[in-house]
Amino acid sequence: MKKKIAALLLAALLLFAGCAPAGSGGTFYVQFEMRQDDLRIDGEKLSAGAFAALSSRMRERISALEEAFSTDLAGSDLVRVNAAAAGEAVAVSEDTLEAFSLAAALSRVTDGAFSPALFPLTELWGFSPAYEGHYNDARPDPAAEDVAAAHAVSDVSLFDADAEAKTVTKGADGAKLDFGGIAKGYMSDEALSVLRAQYAGRNIDAIFSVMSNHILLGSRLSDDGSRRGYTASITNPRYDPEKPADAALYLVGLSDAALTTSADNYRFYIGENGRLYPHIIDGSTGEPADNGIISITVVTPLSVPHAGAFSDALSTAGFCMPLTRALGFYEEMSETYGVGAVIVTADFRYYAVGGVQVLGRKAFAQYANDFLGAQNNVDAILEVFAEGDRDAASDEVVPCEEERAYRARMAEEFARG
């Protein structure tokens, strides 16, 4: 069951999806999305030919990064590093060296809540690409000794990168890297570099996405010449998969920012105990994250270096923190970097941190009436999540009735296959 976690909206229109082309390395999974209508250079749309050429260059850059970062494409840098023995220096690309250096730095920023070295645990819990098509299969927990063994080699300090020799060496057999928590953002940053280089010195308004990581450059230019900030939606991660995905919350007035949403409804299973096991591994426990958080959206100003990768890593990190710690962490990130965050919990509450303007469904329906020309019946709109009181937030998040019903429905659906 694959679901798009966050659908970026512009005037309530869905983006056009396009996949990066397959290459000699194997099948490509990373999706790049950009619509011709969502790009303006000096206020003007590009011709079809110019847009196609630009999109192709951006896709090529993303595909090259996937060839280096993939954990399952034969010959990729990470496949070779992961297969190497302890002490064996593996030649890698400059991109891999930079991504590793950035991931290690972000691991320090998050006090280890984000880590690129958790792949042994990802494999053990059945969330690596080798389990494609079986992520939702219920399964017993791995043996405690196996978790302990995988945990012992899931440490970023076991890896040494030599920038001069362009090699990565690990200090223990079984240690493995996975850039999954940073790769989409890194790719977005590089695609943005391609766009900016192509139109250096020009005024660029654009939105594009690499999977759940979005770049919002400039602002929305209306047909009448007026401008306003972009609008992004946060999909309800508990929507009925038999029905179209619906937005639960909206962020308005966004500009010059990278946005990433991480949620627990992609690659997960329901255990016999009713617990939801997400693919996000908590490095402090060696188990799938279980802190009562179901969705985190992070917004980072593009003025922050590597803003896309920063958002990507930070949205993952919060899942691996108790709620009160996550709230404090994002407050610190807001004060230091201007980051905004929205945390949604299993009791169907949301908490906004930083300067992001978050609207519930009713408020957004009124906003759309006022500014987007919509004609919504605001009174008929039903909310999904209620705003939580940060002062009353607790690390003991008790799943609400709707959450328990969702888990039961998913368990039944997965059992049917």
Side-chain angles (χ1 to χ4, degrees):
M1 177 185 298
K2 291 187 176 181
K3 306 180 181 111
K4 182 167 288 298
I5 303 304
L8 186 63
L9 300 183
L10 182 58
L13 294 176
L14 292 175
L15 294 173
F16 175 77
C19 297
S24 58
T27 301
F28 286 73
Y29 298 102
V30 174
Q31 290 181 319
F32 166 72
E33 305 175 353
M34 185 169 68
R35 299 192 321 164
Q36 187 176 357
D37 287 344
D38 293 337
L39 175 64
R40 296 286 191 280
I41 306 299
D42 294 331
E44 301 293 332
K45 285 199 303 184
L46 293 179
S47 68
F51 177 78
L54 171 65
S55 298
S56 179
R57 284 190 289 274
M58 295 169 75
R59 286 190 177 94
E60 287 173 0
R61 180 67 178 125
I62 291 167
S63 295
L65 292 171
E66 187 174 7
E67 285 191 329
F69 297 167
S70 174
T71 58
D72 69 330
L73 287 177
S76 77
D77 286 352
L78 291 199
V79 164
R80 291 184 294 106
V81 168
N82 291 347
E88 178 185 350
V90 179
V92 297
S93 66
E94 291 185 0
D95 282 317
T96 297
L97 285 170
E98 183 176 357
F100 173 78
S101 176
L102 181 58
L106 286 167
S107 184
R108 293 190 292 272
V109 167
T110 63
D111 196 24
F114 164 80
S115 173
L118 302 180
F119 199 57
L121 289 164
T122 298
E123 290 183 310
L124 181 65
W125 286 94
F127 290 117
S128 67
Y131 293 88
E132 176 73 31
H134 296 280
Y135 296 134
N136 305 132
D137 294 351
R139 44 201 181 265
D141 290 356
E145 56 268 29
D146 292 334
V147 174
H151 202 190
V153 293
S154 295
D155 187 341
V156 69
S157 68
L158 292 173
F159 294 87
D160 178 66
D162 187 328
E164 185 174 350
K166 296 184 180 180
T167 60
V168 172
T169 306
K170 60 188 180 186
D173 288 331
K176 296 181 180 183
L177 291 174
D178 176 13
F179 291 164
I182 193 176
K184 300 181 300 296
Y186 188 97
M187 292 173 181
S188 295
D189 293 331
E190 291 301 300
L192 177 60
S193 295
V194 172
L195 172 58
R196 282 175 160 168
Q198 178 69 29
Y199 295 101
R202 311 278 291 276
N203 184 62
I204 308 172
D205 300 297
I207 56 174
F208 65 84
S209 306
V210 179
M211 306 294 283
S212 58
N213 189 275
H214 312 285
I215 298 295
L216 303 92
L217 184 60
S219 57
R220 165 67 168 167
L221 181 63
S222 301
D223 293 338
D224 62 4
S226 63
R227 290 182 174 273
R228 66 172 180 273
Y230 295 114
T231 296
S233 70
I234 300 176
T235 298
N236 173 14
R238 298 304 184 245
Y239 72 89
D240 187 339
E242 299 301 320
K243 301 176 182 178
D246 61 337
L249 300 168
Y250 297 83
L251 285 71
V252 299
L254 299 172
S255 179
D256 292 327
L259 180 151
T260 302
T261 295
S262 294
D264 67 357
N265 65 332
Y266 170 65
R267 281 195 294 164
F268 73 98
Y269 65 93
I270 307 295
E272 293 182 357
N273 55 3
R275 173 181 166 185
L276 188 151
Y277 291 75
H279 71 284
I280 299 173
I281 301 296
D282 186 337
S284 67
T285 65
E287 299 184 2
D290 186 25
N291 290 304
I293 295 170
I294 64 175
S295 172
I296 299 179
T297 298
V298 172
V299 181
T300 301
L302 290 181
S303 57
V304 175
H306 301 287
F310 201 80
S311 287
D312 204 358
L314 263 59
S315 69
T316 301
F319 267 88
C320 303
M321 302 176 183
L323 177 58
T324 56
R325 181 186 167 202
L327 290 169
F329 170 73
Y330 289 123
E331 187 64 44
E332 180 183 348
M333 293 296 99
S334 175
E335 294 171 356
T336 306
Y337 300 103
V339 165
V342 182
I343 302 175
V344 182
T345 51
D347 54 4
F348 275 38
R349 290 183 170 90
Y350 74 90
Y351 301 84
V353 180
V356 290
Q357 185 178 358
V358 183
L359 301 180
R361 298 179 74 188
K362 280 184 176 291
F364 181 74
Q366 187 61 59
Y367 174 90
N369 288 351
D370 294 341
F371 300 105
L372 304 179
Q375 296 181 337
N376 294 306
N377 180 357
V378 176
D379 292 337
I381 302 295
L382 298 178
E383 297 288 4
V384 179
F385 303 119
E387 185 171 8
D389 180 353
R390 287 186 56 185
D391 293 334
S394 169
D395 293 339
E396 296 297 323
V397 179
V398 179
C400 64
E401 181 179 347
E402 293 89 343
E403 172 70 9
R404 294 194 299 272
Y406 169 82
R407 296 183 186 184
R409 188 173 72 247
M410 290 297 95
E412 181 179 351
E413 180 176 320
F414 295 155
R416 291 198 307 265

